Amino acid sequence: MTAAETGAGVGAAPDRAPRRPGMGVTGWTTAAIVLVALNLRPAVVGVGPLLTEIRTDQALSATAGGILTALPVLCFGMLAPIAPRMARRIGIERALLAVLVLLVAGCLIRIVPTVWALYAGTVVIGTAIASGNVLLPALIKRDFAHRTGLMTAVYSAALSFGGALGAAVTVPLADAAGLGWRLALGAWTLWAVLGVLVWLPQLRRVARPAVPGTRVRGLARQALAWQVTIYMGLQSLGFYAASAWFAAIFVDRGWSPTAAGALVSAVSVVGLLGSFSAPVIATRSRDQRGLSLIVTLVGAAGIALVLVPGFEIVASVVTGISFGAALALALTYVSLRSPDAAHAAQLSGMSQCVGYMLAAAGPFAVGVLHDLTHGWTVPILVLLALYIPQGLCGWLAGRDRELTPTGVEAAA
C-alpha cells in the first residue's frame, strides 16, 4: 500500500498549488472539519439503540443483527484504501465532499422498506465513513502540522460527540416523534446534507489534484507497527461492540429503549473527556505507558461493571471515558511512533485497515455468543478478557521508541 493510500499519506505530499491570500486555513475550515467528523458516527451508532426493534420488525436473529452492526466497521478496514486513491485524483477537499454525498445516499437507501436496502444502505454508509476516517486525519496533518495534538483532540472529540448524537436522538425520533426506526435512521440524511453545505466552500481551496506520495518498505515486519495496529483494532472492537449491544443488554434488564439509548449516548458524551485529554497528556511525555495502563484499567473496570445489574449508569460513564481516551491515544501513537511523515502515512493505513477489520469481529461475535448462550454474561466476559492483549499492546506501543526507518520510494 502506498503512502498516498493511507490516512496521513494523502496529506504527506502537496496536493494543490500555494493558496492565494485569504485562501488559507481559517476558522471556517476548522468548523467544516468538525462538522464532517460529527457525521462519521451517528448513522452507525444510531442503529444500536434501535436494534431490538429492527430485529423484531425484520425477524432477524442476534447473529443477523450482529452482522448488520459489524458491516460498517468491516467497511472501515476493507475500503479504507479507496479514499486516498480518490484524493490523489481529485484532491482531499473534493474527496471529502464525495464522502458526505455518499453518506446522504446511504441514509436514503436505508429508508426503502426492504431488508436488502437496510444492509445495502449500511454498506454504502460504511464505505463513506471509511473514506472519511482516512481523509480527515490526512487533512489535519497537512493543514495543522503545528497543532497536530490539539486538532487530533478536537477531531476525536467530534467523533465521540457524533456518536452521542446518534445514540441519544435516534430513538426519540423513532418513538416520540412517531417516525419509526426507518425514518429515524433516515433522518441523519439531513445532518449529512448540512455537512455538504458547510463543506462546499472548501472546494475553492483546490488548485490541482494530489500527486502520488511515497511507499515505505518493510513496515509490516516491525513489531512496533503491529503493537500500534492491534491496539487500534482492539479498542475499536470494544467501542463498536458496546455501541451495538449495550442498549439491547439494558433493555433486557428492564430499561426502556429510550433510556437505554440515552445510556449509550452517555458512553459517547463522557468519551469527550477522554478524547480531548488523552492526546494533550500523551504529547507532553515521550513515554505513554503509564497513560495507556490507566486507560486500559478504567476500560476493564467499566466492562466488568456491565456484568452487575443496577450499575448500568456507572458502567456507561466509566466505559465512555476509556473508549474516548483509547481512540485518541491510538491516533496519537501513529504520529508519536513514526520518524517521519512517510512512516506515519504507512502506519496510519496499516492500523486502520487491519485494525478496523479486527474491530468488525466485535459486534458479530457478541451476537453469535448471545445466540449460543442465550444470555449476555459470556459475551461481556469475552470483551473483558480482550483487555489483556489490548493492555499489553498499549503498554508496548507506549514505550519511548520509534519505527526503524526503512527504504522509501516513489509510489506508483
Side-chain angles (χ1 to χ4, degrees):
M1 182 181 299
T2 67
E5 293 170 351
T6 58
V10 184
D15 69 347
R16 63 197 189 292
R19 301 185 183 110
R20 299 187 302 274
M23 298 292 286
V25 179
T26 65
W28 184 268
T29 300
T30 302
I33 289 173
V34 168
L35 189 56
V36 174
L38 288 172
N39 268 285
L40 298 183
R41 291 298 180 268
V44 172
V45 176
V47 173
L50 292 172
L51 191 55
T52 299
E53 184 177 347
I54 293 172
R55 287 176 53 203
T56 300
D57 186 57
Q58 300 296 306
L60 301 178
S61 66
T63 300
I67 293 174
L68 178 65
T69 55
L71 269 176
V73 188
L74 187 62
C75 290
F76 295 171
M78 293 182 64
L79 303 179
I82 293 177
R85 292 172 183 170
M86 178 170 56
R88 284 196 301 165
R89 291 184 173 90
I90 64 176
I92 300 179
E93 284 82 1
R94 289 193 177 97
L96 280 167
L97 178 64
V99 164
L100 292 168
V101 172
L102 197 61
L103 193 58
V104 170
C107 291
L108 290 175
I109 291 172
R110 286 203 302 200
I111 297 177
V112 179
T114 61
V115 174
W116 73 263
L118 173 63
Y119 281 87
T122 299
V123 170
V124 173
I125 289 169
T127 303
I129 297 175
S131 301
N133 284 340
V134 173
L135 293 175
L136 269 188
L139 191 69
I140 290 170
K141 185 175 183 68
R142 186 193 71 186
D143 288 351
F144 298 89
H146 59 299
R147 288 183 289 167
T148 301
L150 176 61
M151 285 304 297
T152 299
V154 171
Y155 165 63
S156 56
L159 289 178
S160 294
F161 188 70
L165 285 176
V169 175
T170 309
V171 171
L173 286 176
D175 297 338
L179 295 182
W181 65 265
R182 287 191 187 277
L183 289 179
L185 291 176
W188 292 109
T189 304
L190 301 177
W191 191 236
V193 168
L194 177 61
V196 170
L197 296 177
V198 173
W199 190 256
L200 280 174
Q202 301 303 310
L203 301 187
R204 294 177 299 174
R205 300 171 58 207
V206 181
R208 58 186 175 87
V211 298
T214 56
R215 186 201 314 272
V216 174
R217 299 191 300 270
L219 187 67
R221 293 193 293 270
Q222 297 196 44
L224 179 57
W226 282 105
Q227 290 154 12
V228 174
T229 295
I230 295 173
Y231 183 77
M232 169 71 84
L234 289 177
Q235 64 82 26
S236 296
L237 184 154
F239 171 77
Y240 285 105
S243 298
W245 292 109
F246 268 18
I249 294 172
F250 299 156
V251 167
D252 282 355
R253 289 184 181 171
W255 292 76
S256 70
T258 300
L263 286 180
V264 176
S265 173
V267 171
S268 295
V269 170
V270 298
L272 291 168
L273 177 61
S275 296
F276 198 84
S277 60
V280 176
I281 296 172
T283 53
R284 290 179 178 176
S285 172
R286 297 179 63 86
D287 189 306
Q288 292 77 39
R289 285 179 293 180
L291 176 61
S292 174
L293 178 61
I294 293 172
V295 171
T296 299
L297 291 176
V298 171
I303 294 297
L305 286 170
V306 177
L307 287 167
V308 186
F311 280 79
E312 290 83 6
I313 295 176
V314 178
S316 297
V317 171
V318 175
T319 54
I321 293 173
S322 70
F323 287 151
L327 171 61
L329 186 58
L331 294 171
T332 306
Y333 276 160
V334 172
S335 175
L336 295 180
R337 302 285 84 93
S338 301
D340 53 43
H343 287 77
Q346 200 81 353
L347 181 58
S348 175
M350 177 177 172
S351 63
Q352 290 204 43
C353 290
V354 179
Y356 277 125
M357 289 179 69
L358 173 62
F364 174 72
V366 170
V368 171
L369 289 172
H370 176 66
D371 277 348
L372 292 176
T373 64
H374 305 289
W376 296 110
T377 300
V378 172
I380 295 171
L381 286 175
V382 170
L383 292 178
L384 183 60
L386 289 176
Y387 273 94
I388 297 175
Q390 179 179 328
L392 177 61
C393 289
W395 177 272
L396 294 173
R399 293 173 295 171
D400 179 18
R401 59 184 60 192
E402 290 182 340
L403 294 168
T404 301
T406 56
V408 177
E409 61 187 20

